[in-house]
Amino acid sequence: MKLAVILLSVLLIVIVGALAFAVYKIVSMKKAASMSLDVDEMTGLLNRDGFMREGKLLLSHIHSHADGEAAMIVFDVDKLRLINTLFGTESGDNVVCAFADALREIAGKGDVVGRVDTDDFALLTKLHGRNADMIAESFAKVLSEKIQNDKLHEQVNYFAGICRYDGADDIYTLFNKANLCLLTHGENQRVSEFTADMESRMVENEIMRSEMLDALDNGQFELYYQPKVSFKTGEMMGVEALIRWHHPVKGFIPPCDFIPLAEQFGIITKIDEWGLMTACRQGKAWHDAGLRDIKISVNMSQAQFVRTDVYSTVVHALAETGFEPSCLEIEVTETMAMTDVEHTVAVLNRIHELGVLISMDDFGTGYSSLASLKTIPFDVLKIDRSLVCDVNDNDTSRRITSAIVAMGKALKMIVLAEGVETDEQSKLLTDLGCDLAQGYYYSKPRPADDIAKILTSPSQFDMAI
Ligand code: C2E
Ligand code: CA
Ligand code: CA
């Protein structure tokens, strides 16, 4: 009997032990599976879920042990898509891995590093007396060493947003605040640190952003058209499409107040696509109504070239509306033409091959790149208003304008003077050999119906002069 009890007890212990082992195995397998799901395959870093999980643990450790200062730093790899396009995806992958390696190298013991999105990394780090700039500086140095290829080196850039841990924020808030810096940083500011006013600015910007999206859906944008006039004949040769926003509450908002924000929010591509389609549709309607084959020029932002397939957008707009390619003109600025040169040149050449004209806008304000004049098939050179406005009074402006006209002519381009406001300017620019004029002296930008009236009865245009 005694033996039977002992045997039963041993059996019970074995069964319980086996059960406990099985449960332990299942739990650890599950944990291992979830851990491997939380790792980014390419870099071996934690992915977003893994980063948040480990970050949460580190924050609670710092909080409960009052364990020194810490900060969240997020890194946004700039133009990764462009790097993939220009150098191939293998190079893009190498850049991503270089970022991961550099972050591993600057991270201290116990810090958490993750690849939280395709082109975003995050580091939750104990500061150990370092400030944000010191960390950013050492990252820049290590990253630079990791990218060997000179051409690639030129293209690789990033923005970093930093938020110090104040002991109160949870991991998600801290991460969002660091990300906010990426959205609000200045154009030439590579590293920016979170400040409280960023949040209020962010709220205002968020309202503006959603209002702009509403404006697109609800038809609050309208294109006005400004005539381009032949200096010689006074005839309207074309128009430039310029966007106007009729806000239901704030009233009229000029483009200079919302285009830069639209660029910052990434909405500009939607706006420009709308503008291109609307202008092509309008041009086709004018042509169908028997009006002359007037040319329409459309402004294109840099983002359109960097972030979208602008060639396909143009092809689509032409096909959808049936507008004549030779009547469409795309305006790009010289600064744009100098950024991401190879890509921009290739795209502009393809668009030009469709028969679409390309014009260089605001010439004389940026670098006045002669190299881009050589590689981009510009048909029209638009001399900026800042030169035209004092061409009669300032000898230097006159000489520069004269040199630009000579250069444009030598390169067989049509030369247009922007912002012509007076009779004196008009006369002098005619003498200097400019072909076309655009400016208030001839006409302000006008609604489409006004342009139709000018087209049907050119004498109406004389009244506007
Ligand atoms: P821009 O492309 O250089 O366009 C010419 C600007 O000069 C227009 O301002 C036009 O109204 C103004 N202008 C024309 N003649 C005169 C003149 O004689 N005197 C003065 N003082 N100004 C004159 P607007 O329409 O306010 O547009 C400002 C800028 O906004 C444009 O400069 C362009 O860069 C941008 N923009 C306008 N529409 C669009 C658009 O649909 N897409 C994009 N990406 N940008 C646009
Ligand atoms: Ca323009
Ligand atoms: Ca311009």
Side-chain angles (χ1 to χ4, degrees):
M1 178 68 182
K2 214 173 178 183
L3 188 69
V5 170
I6 291 171
L7 276 175
L8 210 64
S9 305
V10 170
L11 195 67
L12 217 64
I13 290 168
V14 169
I15 290 172
V16 169
L19 269 173
F21 183 70
V23 168
Y24 165 77
K25 263 299 198 203
I26 290 169
V27 169
S28 54
M29 272 166 66
K30 271 197 164 170
K31 195 168 172 204
S34 83
M35 293 284 273
S36 69
L37 278 178
D38 286 350
V39 168
D40 169 57
E41 240 176 68
M42 187 195 296
T43 59
L45 292 181
L46 293 166
N47 63 15
R48 180 186 282 251
D49 287 347
F51 178 81
M52 292 302 180
R53 192 193 61 235
E54 296 296 314
K56 203 168 165 181
L57 291 176
L58 179 59
L59 274 195
S60 80
H61 183 271
I62 292 171
H63 190 68
S64 54
H65 292 75
D67 197 8
E69 288 187 304
M72 170 76 78
I73 313 182
V74 291
F75 295 84
D76 171 33
V77 187
D78 193 26
K79 297 178 198 143
L80 183 60
R81 187 169 153 173
L82 181 75
I83 291 172
N84 282 329
T85 312
L86 291 181
F87 301 96
T89 46
E90 203 179 310
S91 297
D93 291 353
N94 288 341
V95 169
V96 168
C97 290
F99 268 77
D101 291 345
L103 276 172
R104 271 196 200 95
E105 218 165 301
I106 63 156
K109 192 163 172 273
D111 287 358
V112 184
V113 190
R115 183 183 182 201
V116 291
D117 209 337
T118 326
D119 48 4
D120 288 338
F121 294 84
L123 167 68
L124 182 61
T125 182
K126 290 202 211 158
L127 291 172
H128 299 297
R130 297 171 299 169
N131 64 26
D133 287 341
M134 286 154 91
I135 300 174
E137 220 171 89
S138 54
F139 175 76
K141 192 164 168 279
V142 177
L143 179 70
S144 174
E145 286 161 9
K146 302 227 170 279
I147 297 180
Q148 305 289 341
N149 179 325
D150 282 350
K151 286 217 151 189
L152 204 54
H153 205 277
E154 267 173 36
Q155 293 290 337
V156 172
N157 190 23
Y158 64 89
F159 296 102
I162 300 180
C163 183
R164 279 171 176 267
Y165 177 52
D166 60 2
D169 287 340
D170 63 21
I171 185 76
Y172 299 100
T173 312
L174 195 60
F175 180 71
N176 287 342
K177 283 180 174 175
N179 264 301
L180 202 56
C181 305
L182 295 180
L183 297 175
T184 50
H185 69 82
E187 201 159 286
N188 298 316
Q189 189 182 16
R190 193 186 238 190
V191 180
S192 85
E193 192 161 352
F194 177 81
T195 54
D197 74 316
M198 276 183 186
E199 265 173 318
S200 51
R201 234 187 307 152
M202 186 65 191
V203 172
E204 280 167 27
N205 283 352
E206 195 43 50
I207 293 171
M208 189 76 160
R209 202 183 99 84
S210 73
E211 284 182 345
M212 266 188 231
L213 288 171
D214 278 357
L216 270 175
D217 291 342
N218 301 329
Q220 292 166 20
F221 288 128
E222 182 183 0
L223 287 186
Y224 270 36
Y225 299 87
Q226 186 175 33
K228 297 177 178 180
V229 182
S230 158
F231 272 116
K232 267 201 196 113
T233 64
E235 196 186 351
M236 178 165 66
M237 307 304 287
V239 290
E240 174 175 6
L242 293 158
I243 197 164
R244 300 291 178 257
W245 183 0
H246 305 285
H247 191 285
V249 180
K250 296 175 191 158
F252 172 77
I253 305 180
C256 56
D257 284 357
F258 69 88
I259 293 283
L261 283 173
E263 279 169 358
Q264 192 183 319
F265 303 151
I267 300 180
I268 189 68
T269 53
K270 282 195 168 65
I271 293 180
D272 280 353
E273 278 161 25
W274 171 86
L276 177 68
M277 190 62 105
T278 308
C280 289
R281 205 174 285 129
Q282 182 62 69
K284 173 73 170 143
W286 282 333
H287 290 184
D288 284 352
L291 303 171
R292 287 178 297 138
D293 285 352
I294 189 114
K295 289 188 170 58
I296 300 186
S297 69
V298 175
N299 290 284
M300 279 283 157
S301 69
Q302 183 177 349
Q304 209 70 33
F305 286 86
V306 175
R307 296 201 212 122
T308 72
D309 180 359
V310 61
Y311 172 78
S312 301
T313 308
V314 171
V315 169
H316 173 72
L318 291 169
E320 186 84 4
T321 60
F323 190 47
E324 190 61 44
S326 61
C327 291
L328 177 66
E329 193 175 312
I330 303 285
E331 295 197 4
V332 295
T333 63
E334 51 178 326
T335 331
M336 258 173 72
M338 287 189 67
T339 327
D340 312 326
V341 183
E342 285 175 46
H343 176 66
T344 309
V345 170
V347 174
L348 284 173
N349 272 296
R350 286 182 73 202
I351 293 175
H352 196 245
E353 279 162 19
L354 296 170
V356 173
L357 304 175
I358 311 288
S359 81
M360 178 174 268
D361 205 358
D362 305 342
F363 193 76
T365 50
Y367 301 95
S368 302
S369 158
L370 300 182
S372 62
L373 286 179
K374 210 170 96 183
T375 48
I376 297 175
F378 286 113
D379 302 286
V380 182
L381 190 63
K382 298 186 78 175
I383 305 175
D384 190 66
R385 183 155 59 89
S386 57
L387 282 170
V388 170
C389 70
D390 61 358
V391 71
N392 291 85
D393 318 313
N394 184 317
D395 205 34
T396 311
S397 289
R398 186 178 54 77
R399 284 167 196 268
I400 294 175
T401 305
S402 171
I404 294 176
V405 175
M407 183 186 65
K409 296 269 135 188
L411 294 171
K412 301 201 167 25
M413 289 191 260
I414 294 167
V415 181
L416 181 149
E418 289 192 287
V420 181
E421 290 185 349
T422 66
D423 189 38
E424 294 76 48
Q425 287 168 355
S426 166
K427 287 199 172 100
L428 179 54
L429 290 159
T430 310
D431 289 346
L432 292 178
C434 283
D435 303 297
L436 298 179
Q438 190 182 338
Y440 295 171
Y441 177 64
Y442 297 94
S443 168
K444 287 198 167 182
R446 295 153 164 244
D449 285 353
D450 281 13
I451 299 295
K453 282 182 202 147
I454 296 171
L455 287 170
T456 43
S457 160
S459 62
Q460 295 219 22
F461 185 56
D462 296 338
M463 280 157 52
I465 293 180

